[in-house]
Amino acid sequence: MSGWDRFAATFLDRGVMARYLPDIASGFVLTVELALLIVLTGLAAGLVLALVRSLGVRPLNWVIIFAVDLFRALPPLVIIVLLYFGLPGAGITPSGFVATWASLSLVLMAFAEEIFWAGLMAVPRGQWEAARSTGLGFAQTLGWVVLPQALRITIPPLTNRTIAITKGTALGSVVAVSEILAQSQSAVSFSSNPSPLTLGAAAYLVLFLPVVAFGRWIETRFRA
Amino acid sequence: MGLIVEARGLHKHFGALHVLRGIDLAVAERELVFVIGPSGSGKSTLLRCLNRLEQPSAGSVVVDGIDMLDRRTDLNRARQRIGMVFQSFNLYPGMTALGNVTLALRKVAVRPRREADATGLAALDRVGLADRAGHMPSQLSGGQQQRVAIARSIALEPRVMLFDEPTSALDPELVGSVLAVMRSLRESGMTMVVVSHEMGFARAAADRVVFMADGAVVEEGAPEAMFGAPRHERTQAFISQIQRH
């Protein structure tokens, strides 16, 4: 057996791959669902926090900054494990899916808040003053004048951060979420062959390569 | 003629800095008051206190009969009657010239889009830029941008216009077009308070010149008197320095 043949038998066993393809496909679907949910709630929560912060209520801002720093500092896996194994002690028993979704949403929320906030701060004061001097209120100025400019600036960093965090869905495998990595690993133990891992990697590429390419396109488009 | 602007005993502190030290300023209807003075004298702060972009530390501001410092005053409504033009234009970069002019008309005065567009186009026409209605600010020269900014204010039919160094950020060859628009506004009877270093314009168009230094009004009077025979030493020094250039 040549080196290549050994490699192919280990990582590219067609029979094994065909047998476990359906499992990994279902893991793929679950990963997509999980990722979409995280993006939705994470970005929405981050935007809301940034908008609340722009009201400039001191005590409220301390709470926001504390929460944001906390979730940026903790490793996502630690948060997932804490929620999954810790919450039952408080009478709430989240599924692995819910624990992963909530954890990664919190992490994305924290990073997104900082990015949105930086975007809002980057809009010149003169924009606020011009709008307010024509009689637009705070919310109108924010919504019609400042936020559109801020969002434009935030799209590239936000896309990158969103990709980085949604990839963390693989961490759900630790708390029994049958996403791509978990499906691959269980297929590996059943078949005693690592080929499903190759399939899993391919599934991640299919999922995230277009997103990464989209992020690159967005970055060039909005840099100007 | 009634007073449009009546500020009394205005003080403004920025921390330890005492920027306005008891300013009184009254502007009659259709009057053009020119405010001059060295940088840091508080001219811009005074202007910004009139529409309450800056909150005065003490004193009173009444504009067109509305007490601007009263808690019950609907500030957003009051501000529609006070146009303001900034040194740095501050056009909304993501909107066309017409979009800039009509935003407040649509969102604050709540006019339907068609009516707002008609009013906006008329305002752009008054500043000579009706043919640029669809241009983005980045496609306009500085002078054109400032004229769009003026149109944005006059579209709301203000009772008074505040100009905060409207030509200071412009290349010299673009200043004239903005001053021409200001002159035509003045001829149409607009009440104006202008902070500017355009002394030629002050001589030609101002009813009254106010000289400020260190947060106080040092001297005021008709332009001929202020430029020809200023009484105070500080005014003399300032005017001779300006005219040397």
Side-chain angles (χ1 to χ4, degrees):
Chain A
M1 228 186 190
S2 74
W4 167 253
D5 288 338
R6 252 202 314 274
F7 177 83
T10 312
F11 289 102
L12 301 166
D13 185 319
R14 286 222 192 142
V16 174
M17 280 182 165
R19 198 166 347 128
Y20 291 100
L21 185 63
D23 287 348
I24 290 176
S26 88
F28 181 87
V29 172
L30 194 75
T31 302
V32 171
E33 290 171 355
L34 187 55
L36 284 178
L37 273 177
I38 291 164
V39 171
L40 223 65
T41 44
L43 292 184
L47 181 58
V48 168
L49 285 193
L51 293 180
V52 170
R53 192 171 165 189
S54 74
L55 293 174
V57 184
R58 283 263 177 90
L60 214 54
N61 287 4
W62 291 332
V63 174
I64 292 173
I65 291 168
F66 174 74
V68 162
D69 285 354
L70 185 72
F71 288 115
R72 290 198 302 163
L74 283 171
L77 182 57
V78 172
I79 305 171
I80 293 174
V81 169
L82 266 177
L83 291 190
Y84 187 69
F85 294 107
L87 278 184
I92 307 162
T93 310
S95 65
F97 185 91
V98 168
T100 309
W101 162 70
S103 304
L104 294 182
S105 293
L106 286 170
V107 175
L108 181 56
M109 169 195 82
F111 281 99
E113 189 279 333
E114 282 300 294
I115 294 171
F116 283 130
W117 176 249
L120 289 174
M121 289 299 97
V123 175
R125 235 171 81 104
Q127 292 289 310
W128 280 98
E129 294 180 344
R132 296 305 302 269
S133 78
T134 59
L136 264 69
F138 176 85
Q140 286 177 317
T141 302
L142 190 62
W144 294 106
V145 175
V146 176
L147 199 52
Q149 295 178 54
L151 288 182
R152 215 181 140 79
I153 313 172
T154 55
I155 281 174
L158 211 52
T159 313
N160 284 330
R161 185 50 74 175
T162 302
I163 292 167
I165 290 167
T166 43
K167 273 193 300 193
T169 48
L171 297 171
S173 58
V174 173
V175 291
V177 181
S178 34
E179 46 71 66
I180 296 172
L181 183 60
Q183 292 285 12
S184 314
Q185 280 176 326
S186 78
V188 168
S189 20
F190 282 126
S191 65
S192 310
N193 180 296
S195 296
L197 275 181
T198 313
L199 214 50
Y204 276 116
L205 286 182
V206 168
L207 179 53
F208 283 110
L209 257 188
V211 184
V212 171
F214 174 71
R216 185 181 293 279
W217 175 77
I218 283 223
E219 204 158 321
T220 54
R221 173 118 209 281
F222 283 82
R223 181 156 291 160
Chain B
M1 269 190 290
L3 290 179
I4 297 290
V5 175
E6 205 177 356
R8 281 187 191 285
L10 274 191
H11 284 265
K12 176 64 185 176
H13 297 267
F14 289 113
L17 225 58
H18 198 172
V19 181
L20 295 183
R21 301 165 181 256
I23 299 263
D24 294 312
L25 178 74
V27 182
E29 198 168 354
R30 304 175 80 88
E31 194 180 19
L32 194 161
V33 173
F34 221 83
V35 183
I36 59 173
S39 76
S41 58
K43 302 167 304 222
S44 289
T45 306
L46 167 62
L47 218 53
R48 295 157 58 85
C49 281
L50 298 182
N51 67 353
R52 245 185 83 185
L53 278 186
E54 232 42 276
Q55 174 77 33
S57 310
S60 70
V61 177
V62 176
V63 178
D64 198 23
I66 297 167
D67 182 348
M68 293 298 288
L69 304 185
D70 190 329
R71 282 169 170 277
R72 287 162 301 180
T73 296
D74 181 345
L75 207 55
N76 294 329
R77 273 187 70 157
R79 280 177 175 153
Q80 284 185 69
R81 307 160 143 246
I82 311 171
M84 188 165 208
V85 174
F86 302 84
Q87 179 176 352
S88 50
F89 327 139
N90 299 344
L91 291 185
Y92 315 132
M95 298 178 202
T96 61
L98 186 61
N100 267 277
V101 176
T102 55
L103 182 70
L105 283 172
R106 288 190 289 124
K107 302 303 170 196
V108 187
V110 210
R111 310 261 184 83
R113 182 179 273 269
R114 186 176 300 183
E115 195 188 322
D117 282 354
T119 310
L121 272 174
L124 281 173
D125 193 42
R126 280 183 73 184
V127 301
L129 289 173
D131 58 333
R132 297 283 191 277
H135 284 53
M136 302 303 279
S138 58
Q139 299 170 307
L140 300 171
S141 74
Q144 290 172 331
Q145 288 190 45
Q146 190 61 298
R147 281 146 69 197
V148 172
I150 293 172
R152 175 169 67 184
S153 286
I154 60 177
L156 294 164
E157 291 168 17
R159 296 282 284 145
V160 55
M161 290 275 292
L162 312 175
F163 290 85
D164 190 3
E165 306 208 18
T167 56
S168 300
L170 293 175
D171 290 335
E173 79 271 19
L174 301 175
V175 169
S177 67
V178 171
L179 293 182
V181 166
M182 290 171 67
R183 193 180 295 246
S184 87
L185 262 186
R186 180 208 183 355
E187 279 155 12
S188 73
M190 178 67 77
T191 308
M192 294 159 74
V193 183
V194 182
V195 169
S196 167
H197 299 295
E198 299 292 338
M199 297 304 153
F201 182 73
R203 272 176 194 277
D207 294 299
R208 186 151 52 99
V209 175
V210 174
F211 175 69
M212 276 179 75
D214 298 329
V217 173
V218 174
E219 183 173 353
E220 60 180 298
E224 313 83 64
M226 288 293 283
F227 293 118
R231 283 162 311 192
H232 281 260
E233 223 173 281
R234 291 217 54 176
T235 323
Q236 288 164 5
F238 180 77
I239 301 251
S240 75
Q241 207 160 32
I242 288 264
Q243 285 174 339
R244 212 173 299 151
H245 292 293

